[in-house]
């Protein structure tokens, strides 16, 4: 079955890496924004004005609101232009943290966005989605092929290249799954902080009962957003005697002044995967994403 990877111009580099790793051609979707913010999109057609039967759409869903509209427009039109099987490769998957209504009337975005994607695509591949109260991605995105990969092993390999016997620390309880997965790769010592959140930027943190004196500590998590939790944890670790503190995350959101806030806290190195394009990117996820795509049995769908 002929396959084409399509993408938008702002993610051309990452999409090209995935296309090369997958051994398939790539083409860009033309995009124009009107003065009223509506979008005009144009898909890359062949000489007969058609699309191949199998499409892979690369779109990482950081800053997701416009992108979700793009997904809807592209996928619906692609079906009409010949595509039979659509795979979404979204290295960062948005709207996964709101998995229950904490107050009456709150929208449970995980379920709604998950079903939205399941209606548009035949398969979804992502990396380290923020799943807290569910075990598998298909509980949020009801598809036979809802594939969740992890950046933790590759982050562990990167850390091992820089430190002999590092101590991995998670900034909060939700980071435990990624810290444990990374620690197992090379047998690193590890621990997890406890955190009490009072708002988006107001948090209290307590270090785990681990001796950090003289240790090379790496704070590891799935995502860095506001940076406040990582900055606070780094400051506490250095006060407790850590020799150095680095940060390794899968998703480099770094909203606002998050990056400078973390650096001002005394963090030395900041590493991330290229799931979201950022100056801290140190790991390419294309080989792992390509392997996951090849594992999908398209003929059975």
């Amino acid at each position: 079955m002929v396959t084409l990877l399509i993408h938008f111009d702002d993610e051309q580099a990452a999409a090209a890496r995935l296309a090369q790793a997958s051994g398939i051609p790539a083409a860009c979707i033309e995009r124009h924004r009107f003065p009223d913010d509506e979008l005009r999109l144009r898909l890359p057609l062949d000489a007969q004005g058609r699309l191949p039967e199998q499409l892979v759409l690369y779109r990482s869903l950081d800053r997701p609101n416009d992108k979700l509209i793009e997904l809807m427009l592209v996928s619906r039109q692609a079906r009409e232009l010949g595509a039979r099987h659509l795979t979404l490769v979204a290295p960062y998957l948005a709207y996964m943290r709101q998995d229950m209504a904490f107050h009456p009337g709150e929208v449970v975005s995980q379920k709604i966005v998950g079903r939205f994607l399941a209606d548009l695509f035949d398969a979804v591949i992502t990396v380290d989605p923020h799943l807290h109260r569910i075990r598998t991605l298909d509980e949020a995105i009801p598809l036979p092929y809802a594939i969740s990969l992890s950046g933790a092993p590759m982050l562990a390999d990167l850390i091992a290249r820089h430190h002999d016997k590092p101590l991995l620390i998670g900034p909060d309880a939700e980071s435990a799954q990624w810290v444990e997965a990374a620690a197992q790769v090379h047998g690193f010592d590890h621990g997890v902080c406890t955190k009490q959140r009072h708002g988006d930027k107001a948090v209290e943190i307590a270090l785990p009962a681990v001796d950090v004196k003289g240790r090379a500590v790496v704070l590891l998590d799935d995502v860095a957003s506001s940076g406040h939790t990582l900055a606070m944890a780094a400051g506490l670790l250095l006060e407790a005697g850590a020799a150095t503190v680095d940060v390794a995350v899968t998703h480099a959101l770094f909203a606002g002044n998050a990056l400078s806030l973390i650096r001002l806290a005394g963090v030395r190195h900041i590493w991330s995967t290229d799931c979201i394009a950022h100056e801290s990117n140190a790991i390419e996820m294309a080989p792992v994403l390509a392997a996951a795509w090849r594992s999908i049995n398209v003929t059975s769908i």
Side-chain angles (χ1 to χ4, degrees):
M1 185 181 293
V2 178
T3 304
L4 177 68
L5 187 149
I6 57 175
H7 59 87
F8 289 88
D9 57 350
D10 58 331
E11 293 183 312
Q12 185 168 353
R17 291 192 290 271
L18 177 57
Q20 183 177 17
S22 303
I24 57 177
C28 190
I29 302 166
E30 292 184 18
R31 177 175 50 173
H32 173 78
R33 187 179 295 275
F34 292 104
D36 61 1
D37 270 352
E38 288 189 9
L39 296 168
R40 183 185 69 206
L41 306 177
R42 184 181 180 188
L43 295 170
L45 307 181
D46 62 18
Q48 288 73 44
R50 303 288 289 173
L51 287 168
E53 290 186 336
Q54 181 169 224
L55 284 182
V56 178
L57 173 57
Y58 185 96
R59 199 59 169 147
S60 203
L61 295 178
D62 53 305
R63 297 170 179 81
N65 297 340
D66 279 359
K67 294 180 179 180
L68 292 174
I69 297 297
E70 292 170 352
L71 298 188
M72 178 182 68
L73 296 174
V74 167
S75 61
R76 296 298 191 200
Q77 190 65 42
R79 301 281 188 190
E80 295 187 15
L81 292 170
R84 291 178 49 208
H85 181 272
L86 275 69
T87 296
L88 172 65
V89 177
Y92 177 73
L93 192 59
Y95 286 112
M96 290 295 106
R97 68 164 57 87
Q98 185 80 16
D99 55 7
M100 64 177 290
F102 297 94
H103 304 283
E106 280 187 345
V107 175
V108 183
S109 58
Q110 184 190 86
K111 292 182 179 179
I112 294 171
V113 172
R115 289 168 185 159
F116 172 79
L117 296 177
D119 287 341
L120 298 178
F121 297 95
D122 301 291
V124 174
I125 301 171
T126 190
V127 182
D128 287 334
H130 198 85
L131 308 180
H132 184 40
R133 274 166 282 268
I134 64 174
R135 292 177 58 86
T136 58
L137 184 61
D138 60 3
E139 295 180 57
I141 305 177
L143 288 172
Y145 291 97
I147 300 175
S148 173
L149 309 173
S150 181
M154 299 179 75
L155 289 171
D157 290 341
L158 175 69
I159 293 166
R161 293 196 294 270
H162 287 82
H163 297 296
D164 183 24
K165 295 181 179 180
L167 171 62
L168 303 190
I169 296 292
D172 54 30
E174 291 182 4
S175 67
Q177 58 180 303
W178 293 286
V179 172
E180 291 168 1
Q184 288 177 359
V185 176
H186 294 283
F188 294 151
D189 295 336
H190 62 283
V192 176
C193 299
T194 56
K195 179 175 74 173
Q196 185 174 2
R197 183 176 290 278
H198 303 288
D200 289 342
K201 299 181 180 180
V203 297
E204 294 180 11
I205 291 176
L207 297 179
V210 180
D211 186 7
V212 304
K213 289 181 181 179
R215 301 293 301 271
V217 178
V218 179
L219 282 164
L220 190 143
D221 206 351
D222 65 322
V223 62
S225 184
S226 72
H228 284 82
T229 299
L230 288 169
M232 185 176 295
L236 291 173
L237 287 163
L238 290 169
E239 288 176 8
T244 60
V245 176
D246 299 321
V247 164
V249 296
T250 301
H251 302 299
L253 282 175
F254 293 117
N257 67 339
L259 198 62
S260 59
L261 186 69
I262 292 169
R263 285 175 172 154
L264 285 171
V267 170
R268 186 178 57 167
H269 297 299
I270 301 173
W271 300 303
S272 66
T273 74
D274 65 351
C275 290
I276 297 173
H278 190 265
E279 64 183 83
S280 64
N281 291 167
I283 295 171
E284 294 182 2
M285 293 299 296
V288 179
L289 293 168
W293 174 74
R294 287 192 294 269
S295 74
I296 297 173
N297 183 3
V298 175
T299 59
S300 70
I301 298 177

